[in-house]
Amino acid sequence: SQTIHQWPATLVQPVGSPLSLECTVEGTSNPNLYWYRQAAGRGLQLLFYSVGIGQISSEVPQNLSASRPQDRQFILSSKKLLLSDSGFYLCAWSTGTGYGYTFGSGTRLTVV
Amino acid sequence: SQKIEQNSEALNIQEGKTATLTCNYTNYSPAYLQWYRQDPGRGPVFLLLIRENEKEKRKERLKVTFDTTLKQSLFHITASQPADSATYLCAPSGTYKYIFGTGTRLKVLA
């Protein structure tokens, strides 16, 4: 069966520090991968998505970046965090168009 | 631009009643629409997907309708239980990237 792993679960980082969040999927190949952010009391904001290894599409211009070094690995990064980067970060995967997402358990990031 | 509207106010209903949640969208024509459940501090969980050529879809106590003329989907939970209390998100889409509504918080009172 397919599983998605996302870590860490919580993270407190100072302003200006770097960030690396990792997401891996098991039990499937060539998944579509996604990074979403959810601010407190707000909806899900699509940040990045990837339909293949090495391919990244950005939805929101900001100081975040994403990479897909392997087929089932998706990494969200920042060189210098801002206070506004605080939020709940969710990784998700799907098999393609017309299929539901499976979300990871999320990372609660607090930038102080 | 694409816009999705879900009732931002919480919906409180009595246990055993049918809960009906609404999702309206504008400025695009999705080929399908999905509903998710999200509990506090957790990632959303996929519930149902309905395609544009399907008027209604059911799964156990859940029923979803999709009216492409009205640009609206209704999500029903019959015989509601306190365990159904959560935030429900809709995501109309025509591609592999999904835009989510802000969700409606449902509280089922015992």
Side-chain angles (χ1 to χ4, degrees):
Chain A
S1 63
Q2 300 96 349
T3 55
I4 179 169
H5 302 280
Q6 189 181 341
W7 67 94
T10 59
L11 195 58
V12 180
Q13 293 284 97
V15 169
S17 64
L19 172 74
S20 181
L21 302 180
E22 189 164 342
C23 172
T24 60
V25 180
E26 295 179 356
T28 187
S29 60
N30 197 30
N32 290 347
L33 297 171
Y34 307 85
W35 279 111
Y36 282 85
R37 177 172 61 198
Q38 189 173 36
R42 305 286 295 277
L44 290 166
Q45 179 187 32
L46 178 61
L47 301 176
F48 301 95
Y49 66 95
S50 172
V51 298
I53 185 169
Q55 184 278 332
I56 306 292
S57 295
S58 173
E59 287 294 298
V60 183
Q62 54 199 337
N63 68 319
L64 298 173
S65 63
S67 63
R68 185 171 178 172
Q70 299 180 45
D71 181 43
R72 291 168 290 178
Q73 184 184 29
F74 206 23
I75 297 172
L76 182 70
S77 304
S78 175
K79 293 182 179 178
K80 289 186 177 182
L81 284 169
L82 307 172
L83 287 174
S84 58
D85 292 324
S86 294
F88 190 44
Y89 288 81
L90 288 156
C91 180
W93 75 273
S94 74
T95 55
T97 304
Y99 295 90
Y101 282 7
T102 299
F103 282 87
S105 52
T107 295
R108 177 78 57 193
L109 171 66
T110 303
V111 182
V112 296
Chain B
S1 62
Q2 299 172 354
K3 188 176 180 182
I4 303 168
E5 290 184 352
Q6 292 187 258
N7 193 339
S8 59
E9 295 181 8
L11 176 64
N12 293 332
I13 65 165
Q14 208 63 38
E15 181 177 9
K17 300 293 185 182
T18 296
T20 299
L21 285 64
T22 304
C23 174
N24 295 298
Y25 57 91
T26 54
N27 297 328
Y28 68 127
S29 299
Y32 43 88
L33 189 146
Q34 304 177 59
W35 284 89
Y36 290 76
R37 168 183 173 143
Q38 187 174 24
D39 292 288
R42 310 287 293 272
V45 175
F46 171 70
L47 297 175
L48 279 169
L49 180 149
I50 184 167
R51 301 181 189 280
E52 61 180 342
N53 59 349
E54 299 174 310
K55 296 299 182 185
E56 179 181 300
K57 198 154 192 178
R58 295 174 183 261
K59 178 183 176 182
E60 298 173 351
R61 295 185 295 111
L62 308 179
K63 184 179 84 171
V64 172
T65 62
F66 191 12
D67 189 324
T68 56
T69 301
L70 292 179
K71 293 186 180 294
Q72 180 182 79
S73 175
L74 299 178
F75 177 78
H76 307 272
I77 305 176
T78 59
S80 60
Q81 306 166 359
D84 295 326
S85 299
T87 296
Y88 292 86
L89 311 173
C90 73
S93 179
T95 69
Y96 42 75
K97 61 175 185 178
Y98 305 153
I99 310 300
F100 287 81
T102 53
T104 297
R105 193 168 74 242
L106 172 68
K107 186 170 183 180
V108 181
L109 306 170

